[in-house]
């Protein structure tokens, strides 16, 4: 049914892939001409992307890619690697000067080798204009010195996954919005025998997500605006003392937790609160066992508490597409990206990814994936709450090195477990970070 | 405990049965248990449905109550597992063969021919191990690209000898050394060429060494991960370790049952193959030639 | 005899040429595929190369920077402890197992094949199995011990630094015993039984037989096998990477895993290469030690030593 909006144009979009039909009204500026790149003659593309988190993701991505091939005649070969293994491959490609034309990387990967990447400012400008603008954090990750060096694809949302009934039994009505409340919740959960657990091993996803939030929400940061290491501060010590108290309420063993551990523990009912993407809910919902299906109804996704600044300071994994300069078919690559980022493809892909990925531009909030299941909705708004891992300075080789070296995770783990005092842990982190941020 | 040294064949009837139980059978049983338990674990996990996998309160971790073939099915039919298996076999056999051939010649040259500088060459071969693969793979990747070998099995077949040849050479040097020189001297004086000496006299005597070297070269190739991860992209060309990890780990969800199925199915055929070779070198040694 | 002399002198002359010829395949493989990467790997440590841009020569700056890095020294410590403990255990247990397997046992060849299983399984996958076995919530070892009433809480195998190291050493030993055992077994098989008979007839006890017959004859094989084992253990990567990623709090980071972490996700290629370079002196030491161990040739009859 056509809906009349305030704008002149009304558009009804039908998603053709896999029998999912959706009608949505997408406001559109009448004068935005469709940008289009002409692929080179005989172009063939190689795309390296991270392995899907859900089957639907890959199916829809490949279906969309097929549409592209049918439309332009450009064949696209898609290779998958585990999400963490894409980085060594991208590193090799950047170094060697040969490899896939497009790689879907993570975080500040593009900032480590910006001169090896094709400038995609024009494409990014077009997409941003057409779809309500990019989220700030996506812009920060995708641009360097005013130029776009990568096209952000989305954010893997990471929220406080909890058992609604256990939280209620502990006397709370959901995840508290402030830090003291959150601590009280965890203490109550432990008292009731339904403890929380957050990863303190070298968990590149979940571990980084929560320790960055911890540090930032207390007003601390790794580097200041001038690029000086600023981690050794009273705010950090406060954050670490908070972490110590939190750790007392955790299920044992979190110091060894990598990314999959919290999924296992939660699904087994041993852990009632953890930070994770939508994978736990999805595993429970689609499981053939009645026990897990029941648990799915009891799973809630809560927002991260807000810290001393009054504004959210979260951290989640951002993925983006990079086109390499060594590619023989840069126009074909850009056209492929343009096609895949257009609403038909992006929306259908987000829907089939059942909420794993939150889109990079503001129009994504209209996607049906956020309303088809109320438990998805909290993931819709995550991107606006994010800071990037270069905060408060720029992204670059130093920020990448600091995060890869797990400086923040180790600092929090050392303080929480009592291996170091908070002050000592902060000092050690400072020394380690100074090796990378030498100005 | 090593003071209970082994008796050679022929002396064992002098030992009493209780002694044998304590010094031989009991430790053997413990060894077997420890070495095999993880396999038992892998087997159990392969056949356990997910419901039983996490729930220790209801189901004992040692048994499977409702065995399922679903994980194996997923491995064999939903992934390219058969092609990975074939790739791994092809790569391992080829690189082992090449490495053994090169190593036999090199070991003989260093150990027996004693050409000028052989001692330094002998030591120089070990430079190959000084930089670990976790760093070496980047410049090696550059070479693979430049030679146009990226994403081929040939890339692996040609790069694996870099860590296989030195070890095989050294092992064979050790074995050649235990072969009395008089045998070769006699043959040489009788007019044999060096190559004939190598082929007809030294090699047959060094068979246990060859088999050991072959077994380990094969296994190291089979297990190799980081080069296979870096040099190969397409799913059909991947080897078992890389393919299994890539396909059966989806973000933070590990498909444990199928992963363990991959581990089992990836090892048992090789183990069965090995049992034939082990047979061979055992039978080749009774009645040692070197009397 | 003149013809004999002429023949020998002819052989003498062709030794060098023949030697070069025999070395050709091995040399070709290694020189082509290894000189450039090794050279680059060594060179990188003296530059400031990152993933994104080529570097300039900076002398020993990387090494000086590492010198002050506590995590680096922790990885050095870990590597030594890991290698020493695992190697000693592998040698002892491997030798013992080889001695046992050398006996006349029923199902000999089946046993010998089974023993190889830990070595055959792709390391990545057996590492994942161990990950589960050592899991802080789902460990079957903890479950059993708890059922037997020996412990009350699950053991934190991988979360406590000391436990994590011990667990990894155990996993490494498990994987390495077959290698040592089978190699030493092959060596044991080449020792002539007549030597034992002679010794026994002279009244030697089993321990004396071992010390004076078995062990000396095994020495060259032991030297080779243990050197290789030490080299592999020192540069071990997969096991640690899969199970702990170097955690908790870097307690299990080996130099090889730290080098990788700094170089690839961290993008600091030069620093990673420098860490790898720092391993070289120790590796050379290990190689020299056993190479000279190989030189002892008391058992050789009539060999001409160069």
């Amino acid at each position: 049914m056509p809906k009349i909006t305030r704008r002149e144009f009304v558009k009804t979009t039908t998603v053709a892939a896999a029998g999912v039909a959706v009608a949505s009204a997408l406001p559109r500026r009448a004068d935005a001409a469709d940008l289009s790149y002409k692929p080179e003659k005989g172009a063939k593309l190689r795309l390296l992307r991270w392995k899907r988190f859900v089957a639907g993701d890959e199916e829809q991505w490949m279906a969309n890619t097929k549409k592209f091939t049918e439309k332009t005649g450009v064949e696209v070969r898609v290779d998958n690697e585990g999400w963490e293994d894409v980085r060594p491959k991208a590193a090799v490609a950047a170094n060697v000067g040969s490899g896939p034309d497009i790689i879907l990387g993570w975080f500040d990967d593009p900032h480590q080798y910006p001169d090896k990447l094709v400038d995609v400012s024009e494409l990014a400008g077009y997409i941003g204009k057409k779809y309500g603008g990019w989220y700030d954090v996506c812009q920060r990750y995708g641009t360097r010195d005013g130029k776009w060096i990568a096209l952000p694809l989305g954010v893997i949302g990471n929220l406080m996954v909890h058992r609604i009934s256990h939280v209620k039994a502990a006397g709370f009505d959901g995840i508290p919005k402030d830090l003291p409340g959150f601590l009280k919740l965890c203490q109550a959960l432990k008292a009731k025998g339904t403890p929380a657990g957050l990863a303190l091993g070298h968990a590149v996803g979940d571990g980084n997500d929560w320790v960055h939030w911890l540090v930032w929400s207390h007003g601390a940061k790794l580097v200041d605006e001038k690029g000086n290491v600023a981690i050794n501060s009273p705010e950090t010590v406060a954050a670490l003392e908070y972490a110590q108290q939190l750790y007392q309420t955790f299920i044992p063993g979190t110091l060894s937790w990598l990314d999959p551990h919290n999924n296992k523990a939660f699904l087994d009912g041993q852990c009632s609160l953890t930070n994770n993407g939508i994978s736990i809910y999805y595993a429970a919902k689609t499981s053939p066992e009645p026990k897990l299906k029941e648990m799915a109804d009891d799973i809630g996704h809560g927002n991260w508490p807000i810290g001393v600044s009054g504004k959210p300071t979260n951290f989640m994994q951002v993925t983006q597409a990079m086109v390499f300069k060594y590619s023989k078919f840069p126009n074909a690559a850009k056209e492929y990206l343009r096609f895949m980022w257009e609403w038909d493809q992006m929306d259908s892909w987000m829907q089939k990814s059942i909420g794993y990925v939150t889109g990079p531009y503001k129009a994504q909030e209209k996607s049906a994936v956020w309303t088809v299941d109320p438990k998805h909705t909290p993931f819709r708004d995550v991107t606006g709450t994010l800071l990037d891992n270069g905060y408060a300075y720029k992204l670059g080789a130093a920020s990448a090195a600091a995060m890869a070296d797990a400086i923040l995770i180790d600092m929090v783990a050392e303080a929480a477990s009592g291996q170091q005092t908070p002050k000592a842990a902060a000092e050690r982190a400072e020394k380690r970070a100074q090796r990378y941020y030498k100005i | 405990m090593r003071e209970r040294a082994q008796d050679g064949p022929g002396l064992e009837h002098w030992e009493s049965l209780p002694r044998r139980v304590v010094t031989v059978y009991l430790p053997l049983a413990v060894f077997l248990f420890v070495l095999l338990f993880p396999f038992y674990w892998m087997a159990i996990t392969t056949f356990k449905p997910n419901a039983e996998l996490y729930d220790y309160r209801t189901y004992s971790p040692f048994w499977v109550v409702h065995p399922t073939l679903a994980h194996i099915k997923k491995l064999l039919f939903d992934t390219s597992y058969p092609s990975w298996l074939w790739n791994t076999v092809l790569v391992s056999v080829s690189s082992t063969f090449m490495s053994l051939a090169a190593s036999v010649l090199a070991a003989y040259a260093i150990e027996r021919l004693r050409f000028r500088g052989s001692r330094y060459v002998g030591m120089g071969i070990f430079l190959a191990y000084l930089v670990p693969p976790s760093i070496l793979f980047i410049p090696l990747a550059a070479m693979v690209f430049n030679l146009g070998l990226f994403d081929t099995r040939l890339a692996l077949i040609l790069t694996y000898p870099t860590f296989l040849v030195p070890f095989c050479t050294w092992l064979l040097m050790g074995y050649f050394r235990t072969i009395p020189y008089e045998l070769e001297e006699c043959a040489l004086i009788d007019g044999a060429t060096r190559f004939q000496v190598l082929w007809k006299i030294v090699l047959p005597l060094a068979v246990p060494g060859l088999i050991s070297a072959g077994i380990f070269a094969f296994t190291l190739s089979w297990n190799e991960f980081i080069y296979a991860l870096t040099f190969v992209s397409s799913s059909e060309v991947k080897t078992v370790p890389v393919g299994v990890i890539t396909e059966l780990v989806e973000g933070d969800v590990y498909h444990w049952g199928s992963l363990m199925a991959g581990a089992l199915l990836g090892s048992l055929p090789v183990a069965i193959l090995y049992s034939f070779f082990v047979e061979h070198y055992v039978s080749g040694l009774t009645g040692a030639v070197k009397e | 005899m003149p013809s004999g002399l002429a023949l020998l002198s002819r052989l003498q002359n062709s030794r060098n040429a023949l030697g070069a010829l025999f070395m050709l395949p091995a040399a070709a493989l290694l020189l082509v595929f290894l000189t450039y990467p090794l050279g680059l790997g060594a060179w990188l440590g003296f530059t400031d190369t990152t993933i994104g841009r080529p570097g300039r020569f900076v002398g020993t700056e990387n090494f000086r920077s590492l010198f002050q890095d506590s995590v680096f020294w922790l990885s050095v410590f870990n590597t030594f402890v890991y290698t020493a403990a695992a190697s000693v255990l592998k040698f002892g247990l491997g030798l013992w197992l080889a001695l046992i397997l050398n006996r006349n046992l029923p199902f000999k060849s089946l046993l010998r094949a089974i023993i190889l299983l830990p070595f055959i399984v792709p390391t990545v996958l057996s590492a994942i199995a161990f990950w589960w076995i050592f899991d802080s919530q789902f460990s079957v070892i903890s479950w059993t011990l708890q059922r037997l009433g020996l412990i009350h809480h699950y053991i934190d195998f991988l979360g406590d630094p000391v436990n994590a190291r011990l667990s990894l050493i155990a996993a490494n030993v498990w994987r390495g015993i077959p290698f040592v055992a089978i190699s030493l077994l092959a060596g044991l098989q080449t020792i002539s039984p007549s030597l034992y008979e002679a010794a026994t007839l002279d009244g030697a006890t089993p321990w004396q037989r071992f010390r004076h017959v078995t062990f000396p004859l095994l020495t060259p094989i032991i030297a080779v096998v243990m050197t290789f084992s030490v080299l592999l253990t020192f540069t071990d990567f997969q096991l640690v990477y899969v199970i702990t990623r170097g955690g908790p709090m870097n307690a299990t980071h080996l130099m090889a895993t730290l080098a990788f972490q700094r170089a690839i996700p961290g993008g600091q290629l030069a620093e990673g290469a420098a860490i790898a370079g720092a391993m070289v002196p120790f590796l050379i030491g290990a190689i020299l030690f056993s190479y000279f161990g190989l030189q002892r040739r008391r058992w050789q009859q009539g060999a001409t030593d160069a």
Side-chain angles (χ1 to χ4, degrees), chain B residues 137-151:
Chain B
F137 77 97
I138 291 203
L140 209 49
M143 283 213 66
V144 164
F145 273 118
N146 293 333
L147 291 174
L149 293 174
F150 181 70
D151 210 22

Side-chain angles (χ1 to χ4, degrees), chain C residues 268-297:
Chain C
Q268 311 285 315
L269 266 187
E271 184 169 306
I275 297 178
M279 298 168 83
V280 168
F282 308 112
L283 295 175
I284 291 188
I287 293 171
L288 285 178
F289 180 72
S290 80
Y291 197 77
F292 290 116
L294 259 185
Q295 300 292 56
R296 288 164 51 211
R297 323 172 97 252

Side-chain angles (χ1 to χ4, degrees), chain B residues 5-7 34-35 39 41 56 113 116 129 140 167 170 177 182 216 219 223 245 256 279 282 290, chain C residues 15-16 22 33 102 104 109 112 119 121-122 124 132 138 174 190 196 209-210 228 290 294 300-301:
Chain B
Q6 52 100 332
D7 297 308
V34 171
L35 288 178
F39 286 97
W41 182 253
Y56 286 8
L113 290 181
R116 218 188 348 242
Y129 291 132
L140 209 49
F167 170 67
W170 228 14
R177 213 179 270 244
E182 292 85 37
F216 293 117
T219 312
N223 279 348
I245 295 291
W256 302 100
E279 186 68 66
V282 165
K290 290 186 283 123
Chain C
R15 233 190 211 183
N16 289 333
F22 273 41
F33 285 100
N102 200 31
N104 268 335
S109 36
R112 294 168 187 187
F119 201 66
V121 170
V124 158
W132 193 288
F138 296 100
W174 177 86
T190 62
Y196 291 116
R209 281 202 300 264
F210 178 76
F228 193 64
S290 80
L294 259 185
Q300 267 272 6
Q301 311 125 311

